[in-house]
Amino acid sequence: MIDNIFIILLMLPMISASLSLLFKRSDKLRTIFTNIFSLIYFALAGYFLFSFQEPSTFVAGSWESGIGISLSYDLFSGVMIFVIGAIYFTGALYAYPGVTVERNKVYHFLYNTLFLGLTGAFLTRDLFNLFVWFEITLMSSYVLVVLDGNTKRLKSGFKYIVLNFLSGLIFLISIAFIYKFTKTLDFQVLNERLSLLYTNDPGLVRSLAISLFGAFAIKSAFFPLFFWLPESYPKLSPGLSGVLAGLLTKLGLYAMMRIFGQVFPADLQLFWIILILSILTLLIGVWCAVVQNKLREILSYHIISQVGFIGVGVSFSIHPNIAIKNLALACALFYIFHHIIVKTNLFFVSGLVKNFTASEKISKLGGLFKASPLISILFMIPAASLIGIPPFSGFWAKLGLFKIAVESRLIWIILPMIIGSFFTLYSMVKIWSGVFWGEEQESIDTLSRSSIIRSYISCFLLCLFTLVLSFNPLLIFRLARDVARLGLGY
């Protein structure tokens, strides 16, 4: 890859956002711009990832590395940018103003700005700039969450904003203390100084790490501060909720992997804190999903449960044993990749169900398999993957976590993961029997033909992505394993 050409990945959503504002009177032009730029982004992200040879770093203003604002494209950022590129494009393709997404002149501007923030967060190599990119992403999501302006969305959006504001405040205070004790925020220099500080005062470094974990845990919807997520996502349009459901919690999990797995020294006490909270998040999330009766409310609680699964892998990325740590980083990254695709697709398919039946209450649905076999198949593939049925991608993701438990000799961890998988199966069967079996309900088709085609294509592409990952998991797992092996290799 040519040095610094990866900066174009930041430029594309920025240009698309600018054009969306410039042509704010034309829904059609805004949609076209977002679709074109997101497709180019996805294509370039794939090209950069699969032609990757060595990391590339850009430092603004010709400053020295560690002083100026630094952006770096390494294998870790490449994998994350590739998978969000898939969501960027399919989310733009799925969007139909007033039906699958909000009808508002600034929607496409905010949508593109959201991906600008995500891209910056994956490219930055500085803790303060990670905070800045987090806030760009979250500011876009704040406005998107309350964009419709109805009372229910404003109430749920208020909780979403307050909790994430608290998270940002904790993050910023943590950064200030880290700078006080290390005099740097550059990842590579920070890694060296924190390791030295840990040998003299492990309690101090552990406290700094726990403080950062608190900020990331709120953003990732860890127990006990996860209630903002199921309060807000089901009230959004299907297209927007699918994009946010797939991406926002993973940003916090990515930060944990990057900071705790590659910057902070390994710490057994922090490992146990994250592991226990992950298991509680896994179990409580799936139990809450089981008792829900609306399609997207079930799926929202499953996000929390799956955050718990990924958290198990993240916790082992802090393990003192290097072999277990590297395996955990690889497995957690593979799980994130799989879950982003699957969860976004399930929310998108729920939008097709809602459009077809004008309801999301399972008790009011039924017979959709006869009425629309295509929607049924589009749901079945990501649902089977979420459960972890072999040979779908979720099976390989969970198998990796089981392997970690065995190799670390903490075999008891497998039990809560099996319980979580069982109740995931139960709730997916509940959806299937309530929505797709039974007596056929009257369908209400509100979309134009072109938007129906776009929405179906979007879901089909994500299903295809899942099938490729399912039948060739090594395609991504090899990259994830190299991410763990290389570490901060820039």
Side-chain angles (χ1 to χ4, degrees):
M1 183 172 68
I2 301 171
D3 282 349
N4 300 337
I5 197 173
F6 68 87
I7 295 297
I8 196 171
L9 294 169
L10 272 178
M11 299 296 294
L12 288 168
M14 190 184 300
I15 294 169
S16 185
S18 302
L19 291 171
S20 297
L21 280 183
L22 188 63
F23 295 94
K24 62 182 180 180
R25 294 185 178 180
S26 173
D27 276 345
K28 188 174 182 180
L29 279 176
R30 292 198 301 271
T31 302
I32 290 171
F33 287 138
T34 304
N35 275 274
I36 290 173
F37 279 92
S38 62
L39 178 58
I40 296 170
Y41 180 103
F42 176 51
L44 284 175
Y47 171 73
F48 290 161
L49 177 61
F50 293 106
S51 63
F52 178 84
Q53 293 180 343
E54 60 183 15
S56 178
T57 300
F58 169 80
V59 184
S62 300
W63 291 91
E64 291 182 14
S65 180
I67 299 175
I69 296 173
S70 300
L71 298 170
S72 182
Y73 182 95
D74 63 357
L75 201 53
F76 198 174
S77 55
V79 171
M80 294 302 298
I81 286 171
F82 177 59
V83 71
I84 70 162
I87 305 305
Y88 189 15
F89 173 60
T90 54
L93 193 65
Y94 184 90
Y96 184 73
V99 182
T100 58
V101 296
E102 287 70 9
R103 183 185 292 279
N104 193 294
K105 291 180 180 180
V106 297
Y107 174 81
H108 285 281
F109 168 76
L110 294 166
Y111 181 81
N112 285 290
T113 306
L114 181 77
F115 283 91
L116 170 66
L118 287 165
T119 306
F122 297 140
L123 290 175
T124 190
R125 56 178 289 182
D126 175 276
L127 196 55
F128 180 74
N129 287 305
L130 180 63
F131 167 78
V132 171
W133 289 114
F134 260 64
E135 291 308 303
I136 291 172
T137 304
L138 289 169
M139 287 298 289
S140 301
S141 71
Y142 294 160
V143 183
L144 285 167
V145 165
V146 299
L147 196 59
D148 189 72
N150 67 59
T151 305
K152 288 183 178 180
R153 279 185 64 163
L154 288 174
K155 284 182 178 178
S156 61
F158 178 74
K159 294 176 185 176
Y160 175 85
I161 292 169
V162 168
L163 261 294
N164 279 281
F165 175 79
L166 174 63
S167 167
L169 186 61
I170 296 170
F171 192 1
L172 192 58
I173 293 170
S174 304
I175 289 170
F177 278 106
I178 288 169
Y179 186 80
K180 177 184 177 181
F181 291 109
T182 63
K183 298 298 184 286
T184 186
L185 294 172
D186 180 82
F187 289 163
Q188 202 155 28
V189 182
L190 196 57
N191 173 247
E192 296 167 3
R193 294 185 184 178
L194 283 171
S195 297
L196 183 62
L197 187 61
Y198 188 81
T199 59
N200 299 318
D201 194 347
L204 173 61
V205 176
R206 187 180 303 121
S207 299
L208 295 173
I210 290 171
S211 177
L212 271 180
F213 172 71
F216 298 149
I218 295 172
K219 294 180 186 297
S220 303
F222 266 72
F223 171 82
L225 296 175
F226 59 71
F227 58 84
W228 59 267
L229 191 154
E231 281 280 316
S232 54
Y233 286 5
K235 295 176 178 65
L236 307 178
S237 62
L240 177 58
S241 64
V243 170
L244 297 185
L247 298 178
L248 287 193
T249 54
K250 313 313 177 299
L251 181 57
L253 290 163
Y254 161 82
M256 288 184 201
M257 292 172 64
R258 177 70 88 177
I259 303 302
F260 300 141
Q262 297 185 335
V263 176
F264 273 75
D267 184 84
L268 206 53
Q269 291 186 35
L270 182 61
F271 157 73
W272 280 109
I273 290 170
I274 298 178
L275 178 62
I276 297 301
L277 284 175
S278 297
I279 291 171
L280 288 172
T281 303
L282 187 166
L283 294 174
I284 292 170
V286 78
W287 286 337
C288 290
V290 166
V291 300
Q292 304 305 314
N293 192 42
K294 289 186 178 178
L295 187 53
R296 279 193 292 162
E297 287 181 359
I298 294 174
L299 296 177
S300 294
Y301 279 104
H302 273 302
I303 298 172
I304 297 163
S305 174
Q306 298 298 309
V307 164
F309 274 102
I310 298 167
V312 171
V314 171
S315 68
F316 279 96
S317 70
I318 312 163
H319 199 279
N321 185 300
I322 297 299
I324 293 173
K325 173 178 178 171
N326 288 345
L327 176 62
L329 275 168
C331 292
L333 180 54
F334 182 87
Y335 208 124
I336 287 175
F337 193 101
H338 134 79
H339 190 253
I340 287 174
I341 299 296
V342 164
K343 185 55 67 175
T344 301
N345 202 11
L346 283 169
F347 271 81
F348 283 179
V349 175
S350 73
L352 298 180
V353 172
K354 184 180 179 182
N355 172 71
F356 208 84
T357 61
S359 178
E360 287 188 274
K361 264 196 170 183
I362 293 176
S363 58
K364 294 183 178 180
L365 300 174
L368 196 56
F369 183 80
K370 292 179 182 177
S372 179
L374 182 55
I375 293 178
S376 306
I377 293 169
L378 291 175
F379 174 84
M380 188 187 301
I381 292 171
S385 187
L386 186 74
I387 295 165
I389 296 174
F392 290 98
S393 57
F395 169 76
W396 303 115
K398 290 177 182 178
L399 187 65
L401 297 182
F402 290 175
K403 184 177 180 182
I404 294 168
V406 171
E407 294 200 2
S408 65
R409 297 184 181 179
L410 296 173
I411 300 176
W412 62 269
I413 298 170
I414 295 176
L415 180 59
M417 290 195 285
I418 290 174
I419 292 171
S421 298
F422 173 78
F423 282 111
T424 303
L425 170 63
Y426 175 84
S427 53
M428 289 298 109
V429 170
K430 178 180 176 180
I431 292 173
W432 183 262
S433 59
V435 176
F436 297 97
W437 283 159
E439 294 181 8
E440 186 175 340
Q441 304 294 319
E442 182 181 352
S443 64
I444 303 172
D445 198 345
T446 58
L447 276 72
S448 69
R449 183 174 180 80
S450 61
S451 62
I452 288 175
I453 292 171
R454 291 208 320 267
S455 300
Y456 274 80
I457 290 173
S458 181
C459 295
F460 172 79
L461 288 174
L462 291 175
C463 282
L464 187 62
F465 219 125
T466 296
L467 290 173
V468 170
L469 192 59
S470 300
F471 292 98
N472 189 13
L474 288 177
L475 179 69
I476 298 301
F477 190 78
R478 283 197 188 102
L479 294 172
R481 191 174 54 198
D482 288 342
V483 167
R485 179 176 55 82
L486 292 171
L488 289 171
Y490 46 72

